[in-house]
Amino acid sequence: MQSNQGILKKLILVLILIVIGVGVYFGLKFYNASKQTEINRPSANKNDDRTPFQTRTATSGEVIITEETVKAEVINPTPTTSAPLPKPRLVQLWKEPVSGFGFIPKDKEIISTTTATTTIRTATSTTATTTISFKRTILKNQLYIYLWDRATGNVHQNLASTTEVERLSIYTLPRIEEAHFIDPTTVLVRGLDDTNENTKTTYVQLVKDSATSTLFTATEKDVAVNSKFISVLLDTKKMFYFIQKTGQGVVANFDLSSFLRVINTSLTELIPQYVNKTTLAATTKPSAYFEGYLFFINSGGTGDNQYILGDKYGFTTLVSPDGKKVLYSEIQEDLLQTSVYDIQTKTITALTQSTLSEKCAWSADSKKIYCAIPQKLSVAPYPDAWYQGSTSFSDNIWSVDPNTGEFDVIVALQDQLTDPVDAYNLKISSDNKYLIFQDKYSLTLWKYDL
């Protein structure tokens, strides 16, 4: 009996030891697991200003505290595609020198395709037939920018609402210094002749290389425009110029099929501007050393001409499209001054910032002026020094209210670019959506979405 009780006590003792051993084993296991979890946990933020459930986000060198929502469970997010970056408003449209550029409206053709598969099953075979259908869509009056590559003479185009530029012609005509785009297939180009002494003018018409080609070749016609300067008006498809070394002003078709002498004056150094269908402007060749004058000429050659403004040194002008105001620059006490002259009221609004009128453009409705304004204007005989290249500018582009003279910065070029830009040949689209201009340093072409 006593022997049985001894055996029972030993069994109970063994069971107790087993239970204790198991408990110690699992206790150590869970303890190590908890220590491992603590090691892998990110270190706590020790900043005293940080409240629970906050994260730190660095922005522009500053630390900003933002609230973080606490979740009861963690759910891995579904991968998403990053939103596209907004289209840049300022782009270098062409990185090589251009001879000319302009806005051209034309229709855009879009070809879309649809594919349909028809399956026919018989007792012995299965036949699948694929049909491709083409749909032709025409988008009317889309605005394009045409440009003439100076090195090759190739024409390129850009749908103004995009940044892509595509080659339009395989026609090559180098040595062109000036290109005026008239319509989608017509351009008037000017450059030095083989003697490098005279200006040669060529009337170019683009024609399809073949019935299936997307590129154009061209036909050429030399036109006898004996003039250093011409001004074109797309509304009339005509040009205005003064015959060299004479005071004879002429309005003509681009191919010289129509020709009208509108004035004959004793002045032989005049700069033409085709203002609108009825009004032409003529400004004496500007120089800081001579007084300049501005005249209006009737485009019909009726003799209804008038003196507008003058007796100003370094006098350059730009008449508004409605013919009611004149933006002009002059030299006053050795400094460049830019002003707006109201022809009807004969009042002058002196602008608080100065530039040359060649660095400006009027909007089509004559309600705004866009100007490239130099950040710094050194004392120099303008515009001579700028024409000759002995001085250059680093510009920003501003808009000007011609009635009040108030400025509003449009393109802070020097904040966006590493190299300075001396902007000129500014052009504004007729819908006031796009501004294009050329850099005088590099002759490259730029576009800005207004």
Side-chain angles (χ1 to χ4, degrees), residues 6-17:
I7 294 172
L8 181 61
K9 288 179 180 180
K10 289 181 180 180
L11 288 174
I12 292 173
L13 180 59
V14 170
L15 290 173
I16 291 172
L17 291 173

Side-chain angles (χ1 to χ4, degrees), residues 44-94:
N45 192 324
K46 300 300 183 181
N47 193 300
D48 295 334
D49 295 332
R50 185 180 188 277
T51 58
F53 311 117
Q54 290 179 337
T55 58
R56 289 185 163 273
T57 305
T59 304
S60 300
E62 298 180 357
V63 176
I64 302 173
I65 297 176
T66 58
E67 292 295 334
E68 179 182 81
T69 305
V70 181
K71 298 183 179 180
E73 58 180 350
V74 177
I75 302 175
N76 291 327
T78 303
T80 57
T81 303
S82 299
L85 293 173
K87 183 180 68 173
R89 296 180 68 182
L90 176 67
V91 294
Q92 189 177 30
L93 205 57
W94 198 247

